[in-house]
Amino acid sequence: MNALSFAFKALWHRKATSVFIALIWALGLLGLAVTSRLETNVEAQLTRTLEGTDLLVVAKGSPTQAILANVFHVDQATGNISRAEADKWLSHPDLRNVRRLAYGDNFQGVRILGCDSATWNHVPLRALEGRWPEAALEVVISEAVAQKSGLQIGDAFHGSHGTVDDLGDHDHHDYRVVGIASSPAPQWAEMIWTPLESVWAVHEDAPEEYTAVLAAIPNPMTRLMLPGQIQRTSSLMAISPAMEANRMVGWMNQGGAVLRLLSILLTVIAALSMFLLLQSHIRERLSDYALVRAMGGTWGQIAGLVLGQNLLLALLALGLTYMGLALALNLSSIWVPTGVLLYEDLWWNLGQDLPWIGLTLFLGLFAGLGPWIWLQKIPLHRALVDS
Amino acid sequence: MSHVLHSTELTVDLDNGKRLIFPELHLNKGELVLLQGASGSGKSTWMHAIAGLIPLASGSVHIEGQGSLQSGKKAPKQWRRNGLSFMPQRAFFWNSLSLKGNLDLAAWCKGLHVADADLDTLGLADKTSQAAHSLSLGEQQRVSALRSFLGNAPVLLADEPTASLDDSNAEALMTLFKEHAGDRAILVSSHDQRLAPFVDRILHLA
């Protein structure tokens, strides 16, 4: 037998209180862990999604909305831009991997994205059944859309006006499915790709327009200068997505700070509860510890018994925290906003946890120090006689 | 007989400012000694002083081979571990531990790897996994005595061990002490007149 086994039995003897305190503590730790993981994951997702996109040209409006709509495909576009005006800039010699988008209509609420081959070549693929479109009104649907709608390769459908499903049908233009694509990237989970020409053909009365143009700019000086130049000399809005992403991460971190503060509060409350629990346990069972001294136990052994209880509580809280993290990851589809992807490698990167694991163990031991020191000031003979 | 324990000029200052002065004490190996005195005469305080549980105002206690406990100085490191065993008036078992667990705790306190207490001799072998406080009072005190034999310290101080026991349990406990007095000195404090027939010597504290 050793100090930890005696400490464990002392905790087990009052298991309801012990588990309750460990739970409060775990909730605080879980808040801290989930906040930092969400920040890391969203930041990584922004970085990974924005890779290869140094310039976004759109109609004037909110830059954040423009990024959400044209990169993450989760918001309404800021408007359309003139094809002729945009094309003038697309011949810039420093632009690479130019992708042109024209929002079309929708099918059962799923966006029909008019785009060029550069766009679908940019889509990370798990699998592609069939082929990418080669002519107007051919479409590739994502795997989720295929499952939801039951559409197969060779099937035809017609889209509805706009990006919602209740504005009337283009029943005289049928799209034909030529491929089903499966992509691990969440922004491409529910999507219908079609050539730009499809969108222009369906809206034959409207001028040919883009919704957005995306491009990579390998030259750092051009990357810095070109957005401003486009802004100044045209009616277009040019955005550097990386800079906007930094701003978005900054906002997110502010939101995270509130959650983090609440989590720290919970953790402090748990540490305080643990201190009070131990203190009241020792007061109540003072004779137990006096007996240990009377039987020849050293103050070091008593420290083992007292601090051991808190150490075990801290370990229990950590265990519960990781169980909570596993549960949160498994249930992420329920609580994580659409379009946000949790990366398992980042979720289980335990290196990021070392500071708060250290803090937890420190708090546990620190909360035990007070009762242990108090115990040393109690006259042993009184504890044995008065009890 | 050789003196196992020798205390001289022992005095203790109480919280109420009163000073207790204790007579010289010799304990010999193999001896079971009864310390008698009225309630409040200071029997327990004397026991606690010898055990190093209460600071000495003056005087010293020497245990053969274990060094000396002196006023103004800390008790020798192994004083209660190897030098003497102290059996408090109540058993003070840990509620969270079984009977065996409590014996293991005592062994751990004394730096022993295992508690080699023979519960068979008390007829408690089948109760080792029971909560110690579920035993009868007589059984608890006998287990407490067995616990204080762990480590074979040369001196055992038992503070009012029969205070709450009926005749048969008091007799069983004193018999147990008698059986284990062979290689140690045992000092039992009590105002219990029933104990006199079991002991080798009686000391009176006025």
Side-chain angles (χ1 to χ4, degrees):
Chain A
M1 298 285 263
N2 56 36
L4 279 183
S5 61
F6 293 122
F8 172 78
K9 286 179 178 169
L11 283 180
W12 186 252
H13 191 64
R14 48 189 207 284
K15 44 188 168 292
T17 324
S18 304
V19 169
F20 180 68
I21 286 176
L23 264 178
I24 297 180
W25 202 354
L27 277 177
L29 294 175
L30 194 59
L32 286 173
V34 167
T35 311
S36 75
R37 275 165 167 75
L38 272 182
E39 286 171 355
T40 313
N41 276 270
V42 172
E43 206 169 331
Q45 193 182 343
L46 277 174
T47 311
R48 292 178 193 183
T49 309
L50 292 175
E51 203 177 323
T53 305
D54 300 312
L55 177 70
L56 175 62
V57 181
V58 290
K60 282 196 161 60
S62 154
T64 307
Q65 186 185 344
I67 290 178
L68 289 175
N70 298 296
V71 180
F72 292 93
H73 306 288
V74 290
D75 204 347
Q76 300 297 319
T78 49
N80 285 330
I81 55 177
S82 149
R83 181 185 178 190
E85 191 172 12
D87 280 346
K88 279 193 287 185
W89 292 99
L90 300 189
S91 56
H92 193 288
D94 284 348
L95 294 190
R96 300 282 184 280
N97 192 20
V98 174
R99 285 152 282 152
R100 297 166 299 159
L101 308 181
Y103 274 177
D105 301 315
N106 79 90
F107 171 66
Q108 295 181 355
V110 178
R111 183 167 285 173
I112 298 172
L113 180 68
C115 54
D116 49 17
S117 58
T119 304
W120 56 69
N121 286 338
H122 197 72
V123 174
L125 281 180
R126 259 198 297 260
L128 173 67
E129 190 188 338
R131 59 171 174 79
W132 288 106
E134 289 169 356
L137 297 176
E138 287 186 342
V139 299
V140 166
I141 59 176
S142 68
E143 193 178 29
V145 173
Q147 283 169 0
K148 203 164 94 175
S149 65
L151 285 173
Q152 300 287 326
I153 293 176
D155 288 350
F157 65 90
H158 47 257
S160 305
H161 278 299
T163 52
V164 290
D165 201 23
D166 54 358
L167 297 178
D169 287 354
H170 288 294
D171 49 9
H172 52 294
H173 286 101
D174 277 350
Y175 292 101
R176 194 167 64 82
V177 180
V178 296
I180 299 174
S182 161
S183 170
Q187 71 270 27
W188 299 120
E190 290 205 350
M191 187 59 72
I192 297 170
W193 295 268
T194 190
L196 290 162
E197 290 74 15
S198 307
V199 176
W200 296 332
V202 171
H203 303 91
E204 53 203 355
D205 300 333
E208 291 183 358
E209 289 179 318
Y210 300 134
T211 309
V213 175
L214 298 88
I217 310 177
N219 184 328
M221 187 55 79
T222 311
R223 199 185 304 151
L224 198 66
M225 305 299 289
L226 189 59
Q229 200 183 342
I230 296 174
Q231 292 263 98
R232 281 191 304 277
T233 56
S234 73
S235 63
L236 307 174
M237 180 167 75
I239 301 165
S240 166
M243 286 172 64
E244 287 303 321
N246 280 342
R247 200 174 305 172
M248 285 159 74
V249 168
W251 294 337
M252 193 177 65
N253 286 347
Q254 281 178 23
V258 175
L259 189 57
R260 198 174 291 118
L261 189 67
L262 287 174
S263 304
I264 288 172
L265 266 177
L266 263 183
T267 309
V268 169
I269 289 171
L272 202 61
S273 309
M274 192 172 55
F275 168 81
L276 293 173
L277 171 79
L278 191 63
Q279 183 82 4
S280 78
H281 160 74
I282 286 177
R283 278 179 192 277
E284 201 178 303
R285 307 295 308 171
L286 186 58
S287 55
D288 286 4
Y289 294 94
L291 179 76
V292 168
R293 283 291 288 154
M295 290 193 303
T298 61
W299 284 118
Q301 284 177 301
I302 290 186
L305 293 170
V306 173
L307 303 185
Q309 292 181 50
N310 279 13
L311 186 68
L312 289 173
L313 271 183
L315 290 174
L316 177 61
L318 286 173
L320 289 170
T321 303
Y322 279 104
M323 282 167 64
L325 280 174
L327 195 67
L329 183 62
N330 280 321
L331 300 178
S332 58
S333 59
I334 297 172
W335 63 276
V336 171
T338 313
V340 174
L341 179 70
L342 297 181
Y343 300 94
E344 281 210 28
D345 58 328
L346 293 177
W347 195 262
W348 293 123
N349 173 16
L350 302 186
Q352 66 188 321
D353 298 339
L354 287 178
W356 59 261
I357 290 177
L359 182 72
T360 304
L361 296 177
F362 171 77
L363 271 180
L365 294 177
F366 186 73
L369 272 182
W372 178 63
I373 291 168
W374 176 81
L375 205 50
Q376 294 186 48
K377 294 184 174 167
I378 302 298
L380 288 172
H381 67 287
R382 291 247 62 90
L384 288 172
V385 172
D386 293 348
S387 298
Chain B
M1 278 189 185
S2 60
H3 297 326
V4 178
L5 180 143
H6 179 205
S7 82
T8 52
E9 299 169 1
L10 221 55
T11 63
V12 169
D13 290 334
L14 300 180
D15 294 342
N16 59 12
K18 193 176 162 190
R19 170 168 285 198
L20 292 182
I21 303 168
F22 299 107
E24 192 167 333
L25 172 69
H26 297 283
L27 293 177
N28 302 312
K29 190 175 178 182
E31 201 179 28
L32 177 56
V33 179
L34 177 63
L35 173 61
Q36 285 198 320
S39 282
S41 60
K43 298 188 297 296
S44 291
T45 306
W46 197 9
M47 289 261 186
H48 285 129
I50 294 169
L53 295 169
I54 185 169
L56 304 179
S58 68
S60 67
V61 182
H62 180 80
I63 295 177
E64 191 185 13
Q66 301 296 330
S68 296
L69 175 69
Q70 291 175 316
S71 64
K73 291 186 180 172
K74 278 187 174 178
K77 205 175 174 186
Q78 306 289 320
W79 191 251
R80 286 188 298 273
R81 183 173 273 203
N82 300 337
L84 59 83
S85 271
F86 181 78
M87 181 180 163
Q89 186 170 344
R90 277 176 46 203
F92 293 122
F93 289 123
W94 277 43
N95 279 348
S96 52
L97 298 175
S98 65
L99 179 55
K100 183 174 183 314
N102 272 282
L103 290 170
D104 287 338
L105 177 71
W108 178 71
C109 290
K110 290 187 175 294
L112 304 171
H113 291 298
V114 284
D116 58 352
D118 187 3
L119 287 165
D120 268 346
T121 57
L122 302 184
L124 296 172
D126 57 336
K127 294 185 177 177
T128 52
S129 56
Q130 274 190 21
H133 58 84
S134 69
L135 300 176
S136 73
L137 214 53
E139 286 173 330
Q140 285 190 31
Q141 286 302 76
R142 289 199 289 282
V143 173
S144 178
L146 212 55
R147 181 174 65 181
S148 59
F149 297 147
L150 289 173
N152 292 318
V155 176
L156 166 61
L157 307 175
D159 186 18
E160 301 271 10
T162 59
S164 311
L165 301 185
D166 58 23
D167 289 350
S168 64
N169 276 312
E171 183 184 337
L173 184 63
M174 291 308 289
T175 305
L176 194 62
F177 282 143
K178 193 77 185 162
E179 286 168 4
H180 285 80
D183 49 2
R184 57 170 66 81
I186 301 179
L187 178 65
V188 176
S189 78
S190 181
H191 56 268
D192 190 340
Q193 298 300 327
R194 298 172 298 178
L195 309 190
F198 296 94
V199 301
D200 303 311
R201 185 157 61 101
I202 298 177
L203 301 171
H204 292 279
L205 189 63

